[in-house]
Amino acid sequence: MTIDSMIDNIMDSYETIGGINRNGAENFPNRSNVVTVLSHLQSLIFPGFKYEEGIETGNLRYITGTHVNQIISMLTLEIQKALVYVVSSNKGSCESTVTAIHNSHCYKLAQQTVFALIENIPAIRAMVQKDAQAAFMGDPAARSVEEVILSYPGLEAIVVHRIAHFLHNAGTPVIPRIMSEHVHGKTGIDIHPGATIGESFCIDHGTGIVIGETTVIGNNVKIYQGVTLGALSVKKHLQDKKRHPTIEDDVTIYAGATILGGDTVIGKGSVIGGNTWVTESVAPGTILVNKS
């Protein structure tokens, strides 16, 4: 078989199988662009920590403005793509023609979302600072909050989740999942953007943690590596139901614990020991250990 014929076969597969993501607003978002936007957002949250930027007192506003403008230009287009794709896929869900959607409505919605995200950056920064402080106070090995910011994968996963969760709540399709799966690949921590997480959340070590879409976590919660907050059933018809547990304030969950089910509530101040399997609610103040 010649090279030309091999290329022809690949081209034929594009026609018969699909799976092509061309440029333009009518196509799926670009993962690389979303990851680039995420780096700009992380730079706004922790200036000078993640990337070499030469920050001085006199140029901080310029650097901040550069990040903001890059986010506006790139993220608006990627969200527009996601909105157009969803509307185009759900035929009959919108009375506008696809062309009109491309040119106006979805772009305006995308721009509004991006502006709202940027406006919310100070609030996200305040939340993340509390997360960093919680990790510092909860880990004897941490020597400073700055060390946590620079090197702890748990905090990086939380930062990305705070961003992705905002976009998820704003109704942005696809983009939040790209962000969460990107940081999942980096850290081994899988937090669905739909999960609701309160203040001062601490992930220690972190590898292998799974937090499902409808999980609700209160304030001052600490979890260790290998914890799963998951569903009892993964049947598709349950996708709009609460499938994942609720973790109330001041709970600690040790390594390898598995907590499942949308009706499962771990009461305030409880401690869930390592390698436990929990499918029923636990009263506040309970210490639950695996005795096997």
Side-chain angles (χ1 to χ4, degrees):
M1 182 177 286
T2 66
I3 292 176
D4 280 342
S5 61
M6 288 187 283
I7 293 172
D8 288 340
N9 287 342
I10 294 170
M11 293 297 294
D12 288 341
S13 77
Y14 292 154
E15 293 297 323
T16 57
I17 300 172
I20 305 170
N21 195 25
R22 298 181 175 89
N23 291 328
E26 72 278 7
N27 290 286
F28 215 63
N30 180 280
R31 181 185 176 98
S32 178
N33 289 344
V34 173
V35 171
T36 298
V37 167
L38 192 54
S39 70
H40 286 293
L41 287 162
Q42 288 176 290
S43 291
L44 288 182
I45 291 170
F46 289 127
F49 277 88
K50 294 293 182 180
Y51 306 97
E52 176 57 48
E53 298 184 277
I55 291 177
E56 304 289 346
T57 302
N59 67 2
L60 183 55
R61 183 178 182 86
Y62 171 79
I63 290 172
T64 301
T66 299
H67 288 306
V68 167
N69 280 290
Q70 286 293 315
I71 293 163
I72 291 171
S73 62
M74 295 183 71
L75 187 56
T76 300
L77 178 58
E78 297 308 318
I79 293 177
Q80 181 192 13
K81 291 179 187 177
L83 292 170
V84 169
Y85 180 85
V86 169
V87 172
S88 300
S89 299
N90 298 325
K91 293 179 174 59
S93 64
C94 182
E95 294 180 359
S96 303
T97 65
V98 172
T99 300
I101 294 167
H102 288 187
N103 291 337
S104 58
H105 184 58
C106 284
Y107 181 83
K108 289 177 182 177
L109 289 176
Q111 190 177 59
Q112 289 170 7
T113 300
V114 173
F115 276 40
L117 174 62
I118 293 170
E119 185 177 358
N120 203 57
I121 290 295
I124 293 175
R125 294 193 74 242
M127 288 279 285
V128 169
Q129 288 288 349
K130 291 180 180 180
D131 299 325
Q133 185 68 27
F136 170 63
M137 295 301 295
D139 185 1
R143 301 301 179 187
S144 67
V145 173
E146 289 77 15
E147 178 185 342
V148 172
I149 293 170
L150 278 170
S151 60
Y152 277 43
L155 183 65
E156 182 169 5
I158 295 168
V159 169
V160 173
H161 174 74
R162 301 289 189 201
I163 297 166
H165 184 67
F166 180 90
L167 293 173
H168 175 87
N169 283 353
T172 303
V174 184
I175 306 292
R177 288 305 302 272
I178 295 174
M179 291 178 171
S180 65
E181 292 305 328
H182 169 71
V183 78
H184 176 198
K186 289 183 66 178
T187 65
I189 300 167
D190 183 1
I191 309 176
H192 192 285
T196 301
I197 300 177
E199 295 182 350
S200 300
F201 182 50
C202 176
I203 293 176
D204 202 345
H205 303 297
T207 304
I209 284 174
V210 177
I211 300 176
E213 177 183 14
T214 61
T215 302
V216 177
I217 297 176
N219 299 326
N220 306 307
V221 171
K222 184 176 185 179
I223 64 177
Y224 287 80
Q225 69 273 16
V227 167
T228 296
L229 305 179
L232 276 168
S233 174
V234 293
K235 294 178 180 178
K236 194 67 175 178
H237 72 272
L238 298 174
Q239 68 181 41
D240 295 322
K241 307 291 185 181
K242 189 176 189 310
R243 309 181 302 282
H244 307 94
T246 296
I247 313 298
E248 294 186 343
D249 297 348
D250 307 315
V251 169
T252 299
I253 307 173
Y254 282 99
T258 298
I259 304 172
L260 305 177
D263 295 327
T264 303
V265 178
I266 306 301
K268 180 177 180 179
S270 293
V271 176
I272 307 300
N275 298 315
T276 51
W277 178 272
V278 184
T279 58
E280 296 180 353
S281 294
V282 171
T286 299
I287 299 177
L288 187 66
V289 297
N290 184 357
K291 297 181 180 180
S292 61

